[in-house]
PDB file of all heavy atoms in Angstrom:
ATOM      1  N   TRP K 344     -22.762  -9.040  33.116  1.00  0.00           N
ATOM      2  CA  TRP K 344     -22.802  -9.827  31.883  1.00  0.00           C
ATOM      3  C   TRP K 344     -23.709 -11.047  32.029  1.00  0.00           C
ATOM      4  O   TRP K 344     -24.440 -11.408  31.103  1.00  0.00           O
ATOM      5  CB  TRP K 344     -21.401 -10.263  31.469  1.00  0.00           C
ATOM      6  CG  TRP K 344     -21.422 -11.270  30.348  1.00  0.00           C
ATOM      7  CD1 TRP K 344     -21.072 -12.588  30.408  1.00  0.00           C
ATOM      8  CD2 TRP K 344     -21.846 -11.031  29.006  1.00  0.00           C
ATOM      9  NE1 TRP K 344     -21.251 -13.197  29.191  1.00  0.00           N
ATOM     10  CE2 TRP K 344     -21.725 -12.263  28.309  1.00  0.00           C
ATOM     11  CE3 TRP K 344     -22.320  -9.930  28.317  1.00  0.00           C
ATOM     12  CZ2 TRP K 344     -22.056 -12.407  26.960  1.00  0.00           C
ATOM     13  CZ3 TRP K 344     -22.657 -10.059  26.975  1.00  0.00           C
ATOM     14  CH2 TRP K 344     -22.521 -11.282  26.313  1.00  0.00           C
ATOM     15  N   GLU K 345     -23.667 -11.690  33.164  1.00  0.00           N
ATOM     16  CA  GLU K 345     -24.461 -12.901  33.370  1.00  0.00           C
ATOM     17  C   GLU K 345     -25.959 -12.604  33.225  1.00  0.00           C
ATOM     18  O   GLU K 345     -26.712 -13.426  32.711  1.00  0.00           O
ATOM     19  CB  GLU K 345     -24.171 -13.485  34.754  1.00  0.00           C
ATOM     20  CG  GLU K 345     -22.729 -13.926  34.957  1.00  0.00           C
ATOM     21  CD  GLU K 345     -22.289 -14.960  33.937  1.00  0.00           C
ATOM     22  OE1 GLU K 345     -23.131 -15.809  33.546  1.00  0.00           O
ATOM     23  OE2 GLU K 345     -21.124 -14.934  33.518  1.00  0.00           O
ATOM     24  N   ASN K 346     -26.382 -11.421  33.671  1.00  0.00           N
ATOM     25  CA  ASN K 346     -27.793 -11.048  33.551  1.00  0.00           C
ATOM     26  C   ASN K 346     -28.139 -10.603  32.132  1.00  0.00           C
ATOM     27  O   ASN K 346     -29.179 -10.979  31.585  1.00  0.00           O
ATOM     28  CB  ASN K 346     -28.129  -9.915  34.529  1.00  0.00           C
ATOM     29  CG  ASN K 346     -27.877 -10.303  35.974  1.00  0.00           C
ATOM     30  OD1 ASN K 346     -28.168 -11.435  36.376  1.00  0.00           O
ATOM     31  ND2 ASN K 346     -27.339  -9.384  36.750  1.00  0.00           N
ATOM     32  N   LEU K 347     -27.254  -9.817  31.547  1.00  0.00           N
ATOM     33  CA  LEU K 347     -27.527  -9.262  30.219  1.00  0.00           C
ATOM     34  C   LEU K 347     -27.478 -10.332  29.137  1.00  0.00           C
ATOM     35  O   LEU K 347     -28.211 -10.248  28.136  1.00  0.00           O
ATOM     36  CB  LEU K 347     -26.517  -8.156  29.919  1.00  0.00           C
ATOM     37  CG  LEU K 347     -26.775  -7.306  28.671  1.00  0.00           C
ATOM     38  CD1 LEU K 347     -28.137  -6.629  28.742  1.00  0.00           C
ATOM     39  CD2 LEU K 347     -25.662  -6.271  28.502  1.00  0.00           C
ATOM     40  N   ARG K 348     -26.622 -11.330  29.333  1.00  0.00           N
ATOM     41  CA  ARG K 348     -26.483 -12.377  28.326  1.00  0.00           C
ATOM     42  C   ARG K 348     -27.809 -13.067  28.036  1.00  0.00           C
ATOM     43  O   ARG K 348     -28.114 -13.391  26.877  1.00  0.00           O
ATOM     44  CB  ARG K 348     -25.454 -13.416  28.785  1.00  0.00           C
ATOM     45  CG  ARG K 348     -25.138 -14.485  27.724  1.00  0.00           C
ATOM     46  CD  ARG K 348     -24.282 -15.586  28.289  1.00  0.00           C
ATOM     47  NE  ARG K 348     -24.991 -16.291  29.340  1.00  0.00           N
ATOM     48  CZ  ARG K 348     -24.420 -16.714  30.461  1.00  0.00           C
ATOM     49  NH1 ARG K 348     -23.145 -16.485  30.689  1.00  0.00           N
ATOM     50  NH2 ARG K 348     -25.132 -17.361  31.365  1.00  0.00           N
ATOM     51  N   ASP K 349     -28.626 -13.288  29.041  1.00  0.00           N
ATOM     52  CA  ASP K 349     -29.916 -13.952  28.843  1.00  0.00           C
ATOM     53  C   ASP K 349     -30.815 -13.152  27.902  1.00  0.00           C
ATOM     54  O   ASP K 349     -31.528 -13.725  27.071  1.00  0.00           O
ATOM     55  CB  ASP K 349     -30.620 -14.163  30.185  1.00  0.00           C
ATOM     56  CG  ASP K 349     -29.880 -15.148  31.075  1.00  0.00           C
ATOM     57  OD1 ASP K 349     -29.132 -15.974  30.529  1.00  0.00           O
ATOM     58  OD2 ASP K 349     -30.032 -15.075  32.312  1.00  0.00           O
ATOM     59  N   GLU K 350     -30.780 -11.820  28.023  1.00  0.00           N
ATOM     60  CA  GLU K 350     -31.566 -10.982  27.120  1.00  0.00           C
ATOM     61  C   GLU K 350     -30.973 -10.987  25.713  1.00  0.00           C
ATOM     62  O   GLU K 350     -31.709 -11.006  24.721  1.00  0.00           O
ATOM     63  CB  GLU K 350     -31.619  -9.542  27.644  1.00  0.00           C
ATOM     64  CG  GLU K 350     -32.528  -9.347  28.844  1.00  0.00           C
ATOM     65  CD  GLU K 350     -32.822  -7.881  29.103  1.00  0.00           C
ATOM     66  OE1 GLU K 350     -33.577  -7.284  28.304  1.00  0.00           O
ATOM     67  OE2 GLU K 350     -32.285  -7.353  30.089  1.00  0.00           O
ATOM     68  N   LEU K 351     -29.648 -10.954  25.613  1.00  0.00           N
ATOM     69  CA  LEU K 351     -28.991 -10.917  24.309  1.00  0.00           C
ATOM     70  C   LEU K 351     -29.181 -12.205  23.523  1.00  0.00           C
ATOM     71  O   LEU K 351     -29.112 -12.206  22.294  1.00  0.00           O
ATOM     72  CB  LEU K 351     -27.497 -10.648  24.486  1.00  0.00           C
ATOM     73  CG  LEU K 351     -27.099  -9.240  24.934  1.00  0.00           C
ATOM     74  CD1 LEU K 351     -25.600  -9.182  25.185  1.00  0.00           C
ATOM     75  CD2 LEU K 351     -27.508  -8.203  23.902  1.00  0.00           C
ATOM     76  N   ASP K 352     -29.407 -13.307  24.220  1.00  0.00           N
ATOM     77  CA  ASP K 352     -29.609 -14.596  23.548  1.00  0.00           C
ATOM     78  C   ASP K 352     -30.720 -14.533  22.510  1.00  0.00           C
ATOM     79  O   ASP K 352     -30.694 -15.260  21.516  1.00  0.00           O
ATOM     80  CB  ASP K 352     -29.930 -15.688  24.578  1.00  0.00           C
ATOM     81  CG  ASP K 352     -28.678 -16.408  25.055  1.00  0.00           C
ATOM     82  OD1 ASP K 352     -27.701 -16.458  24.279  1.00  0.00           O
ATOM     83  OD2 ASP K 352     -28.673 -16.900  26.190  1.00  0.00           O
ATOM     84  N   ASN K 353     -31.700 -13.664  22.730  1.00  0.00           N
ATOM     85  CA  ASN K 353     -32.820 -13.544  21.797  1.00  0.00           C
ATOM     86  C   ASN K 353     -32.428 -12.852  20.495  1.00  0.00           C
ATOM     87  O   ASN K 353     -33.158 -12.941  19.504  1.00  0.00           O
ATOM     88  CB  ASN K 353     -33.965 -12.748  22.449  1.00  0.00           C
ATOM     89  CG  ASN K 353     -34.524 -13.450  23.665  1.00  0.00           C
ATOM     90  OD1 ASN K 353     -34.712 -14.665  23.669  1.00  0.00           O
ATOM     91  ND2 ASN K 353     -34.799 -12.689  24.718  1.00  0.00           N
ATOM     92  N   PHE K 354     -31.271 -12.173  20.485  1.00  0.00           N
ATOM     93  CA  PHE K 354     -30.877 -11.383  19.318  1.00  0.00           C
ATOM     94  C   PHE K 354     -29.541 -11.814  18.723  1.00  0.00           C
ATOM     95  O   PHE K 354     -29.252 -11.490  17.565  1.00  0.00           O
ATOM     96  CB  PHE K 354     -30.774  -9.895  19.703  1.00  0.00           C
ATOM     97  CG  PHE K 354     -32.026  -9.365  20.354  1.00  0.00           C
ATOM     98  CD1 PHE K 354     -32.110  -9.262  21.747  1.00  0.00           C
ATOM     99  CD2 PHE K 354     -33.115  -8.983  19.592  1.00  0.00           C
ATOM    100  CE1 PHE K 354     -33.251  -8.770  22.358  1.00  0.00           C
ATOM    101  CE2 PHE K 354     -34.262  -8.496  20.196  1.00  0.00           C
ATOM    102  CZ  PHE K 354     -34.339  -8.387  21.577  1.00  0.00           C
ATOM    103  N   SER K 355     -28.736 -12.520  19.488  1.00  0.00           N
ATOM    104  CA  SER K 355     -27.388 -12.866  19.036  1.00  0.00           C
ATOM    105  C   SER K 355     -27.417 -13.901  17.916  1.00  0.00           C
ATOM    106  O   SER K 355     -28.211 -14.840  17.933  1.00  0.00           O
ATOM    107  CB  SER K 355     -26.565 -13.398  20.210  1.00  0.00           C
ATOM    108  OG  SER K 355     -25.273 -13.755  19.779  1.00  0.00           O
ATOM    109  N   ARG K 356     -26.513 -13.737  16.960  1.00  0.00           N
ATOM    110  CA  ARG K 356     -26.361 -14.696  15.856  1.00  0.00           C
ATOM    111  C   ARG K 356     -25.253 -15.709  16.149  1.00  0.00           C
ATOM    112  O   ARG K 356     -25.046 -16.647  15.385  1.00  0.00           O
ATOM    113  CB  ARG K 356     -26.070 -13.957  14.563  1.00  0.00           C
ATOM    114  CG  ARG K 356     -27.170 -13.028  14.108  1.00  0.00           C
ATOM    115  CD  ARG K 356     -26.719 -12.171  12.946  1.00  0.00           C
ATOM    116  NE  ARG K 356     -26.979 -10.759  13.175  1.00  0.00           N
ATOM    117  CZ  ARG K 356     -26.471  -9.776  12.456  1.00  0.00           C
ATOM    118  NH1 ARG K 356     -25.661 -10.062  11.446  1.00  0.00           N
ATOM    119  NH2 ARG K 356     -26.739  -8.523  12.737  1.00  0.00           N
ATOM    120  N   LEU K 357     -24.519 -15.485  17.204  1.00  0.00           N
ATOM    121  CA  LEU K 357     -23.431 -16.380  17.598  1.00  0.00           C
ATOM    122  C   LEU K 357     -23.630 -16.817  19.049  1.00  0.00           C
ATOM    123  O   LEU K 357     -24.265 -16.126  19.830  1.00  0.00           O
ATOM    124  CB  LEU K 357     -22.079 -15.652  17.471  1.00  0.00           C
ATOM    125  CG  LEU K 357     -21.555 -15.387  16.074  1.00  0.00           C
ATOM    126  CD1 LEU K 357     -20.350 -14.461  16.130  1.00  0.00           C
ATOM    127  CD2 LEU K 357     -21.176 -16.683  15.376  1.00  0.00           C
ATOM    128  N   PRO K 358     -23.041 -17.956  19.417  1.00  0.00           N
ATOM    129  CA  PRO K 358     -23.094 -18.363  20.834  1.00  0.00           C
ATOM    130  C   PRO K 358     -22.387 -17.328  21.698  1.00  0.00           C
ATOM    131  O   PRO K 358     -21.310 -16.859  21.342  1.00  0.00           O
ATOM    132  CB  PRO K 358     -22.356 -19.708  20.847  1.00  0.00           C
ATOM    133  CG  PRO K 358     -22.398 -20.195  19.435  1.00  0.00           C
ATOM    134  CD  PRO K 358     -22.389 -18.977  18.574  1.00  0.00           C
ATOM    135  N   LEU K 359     -22.990 -16.957  22.804  1.00  0.00           N
ATOM    136  CA  LEU K 359     -22.426 -15.947  23.676  1.00  0.00           C
ATOM    137  C   LEU K 359     -21.523 -16.567  24.745  1.00  0.00           C
ATOM    138  O   LEU K 359     -21.736 -17.711  25.151  1.00  0.00           O
ATOM    139  CB  LEU K 359     -23.545 -15.132  24.339  1.00  0.00           C
ATOM    140  CG  LEU K 359     -24.409 -14.310  23.378  1.00  0.00           C
ATOM    141  CD1 LEU K 359     -25.605 -13.729  24.120  1.00  0.00           C
ATOM    142  CD2 LEU K 359     -23.598 -13.199  22.735  1.00  0.00           C
TER     143      LEU K 359
END
Side-chain angles (χ1 to χ4, degrees):
W344 170 249
E345 297 302 324
N346 300 320
L347 189 58
R348 186 188 63 220
D349 294 336
E350 286 195 72
L351 289 175
D352 268 333
N353 297 318
F354 306 98
S355 179
R356 297 171 231 167
L357 288 170
L359 296 171

